[in-house]
């Protein structure tokens, strides 16, 4: 049974400022989980060219996934949720999926929910769509 749906758009150029600005390291630690930081090499400087553009688009899609989840949960960003505990990961097949940790994982389990994720990016924007369903 459907518990909630959420979607979010993230402007890639806006996120790039957060990832490269003065407080980039603190932003990355607060927003992205360990698996995301490793997969997107967010702890390393962004190189120029296509590789950086793809990493930025993926980071923006992951950010949108976090916001989409919070909308589906119907709570916004407040206790018990922390952005870094809501990770958008890629399965071996390449499909996006959520990985939850900490209090967010506990909330999902307590509510008996599973999450599905769809991501896309095009034309300077990244989109995420989340559905939460009862198990």
């Amino acid at each position: 049974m459907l518990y909630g749906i959420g979607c979010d758009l993230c402007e890639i150029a806006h996120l790039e400022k957060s990832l490269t600005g003065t407080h980039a390291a603190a932003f990355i630690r607060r927003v992205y989980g360990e698996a995301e930081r490793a997969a997107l090499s967010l702890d390393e400087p962004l190189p120029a060219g296509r590789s950086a553009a793809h990493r930025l688009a993926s980071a923006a899609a992951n950010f949108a996934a976090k916001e989409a989840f919070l909308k589906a949960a119907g709570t916004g960003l407040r206790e018990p949720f922390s952005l870094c505990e809501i990770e958008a990961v890629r399965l071996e097949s390449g499909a996006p999926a959520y990985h939850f940790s900490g209090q967010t994982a506990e909330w999902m389990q307590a509510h008996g929910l599973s999450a599905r994720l769809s991501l896309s990016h095009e034309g300077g924007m990244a989109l995420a769509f989340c559905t939460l369903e009862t198990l």
Side-chain angles (χ1 to χ4, degrees), residues 25 60 80 109 113-114 118 127 131:
Q109 185 175 15
L113 298 174
S114 67
S118 180
L127 167 81
T131 59

Side-chain angles (χ1 to χ4, degrees), residues 50-68:
R50 185 172 165 85
S51 174
H54 185 267
R55 281 172 55 195
L56 281 171
S58 294
N62 285 19
F63 186 86
K66 297 164 188 298
E67 295 286 332

Side-chain angles (χ1 to χ4, degrees), residues 48 73 99:
H99 175 262

Side-chain angles (χ1 to χ4, degrees), residues 26-115:
F27 175 82
I28 290 167
R29 280 191 310 274
R30 189 179 82 245
V31 173
Y32 295 96
E34 210 172 290
E36 290 173 311
R37 290 193 315 266
L40 297 171
S41 302
L42 289 177
D43 295 325
E44 301 170 18
L46 290 171
R50 185 172 165 85
S51 174
H54 185 267
R55 281 172 55 195
L56 281 171
S58 294
N62 285 19
F63 186 86
K66 297 164 188 298
E67 295 286 332
F69 168 81
L70 295 169
K71 291 172 183 176
T75 62
L77 183 57
R78 62 175 180 80
E79 291 287 329
F81 302 117
S82 175
L83 291 177
C84 64
E85 293 179 352
I86 306 164
E87 293 186 273
V89 297
R90 306 315 183 267
L91 302 176
E92 194 172 306
S93 66
Y98 281 108
H99 175 262
F100 303 107
S101 59
Q103 290 184 321
T104 303
E106 292 171 13
W107 185 88
M108 288 290 289
Q109 185 175 15
H111 286 79
L113 298 174
S114 67

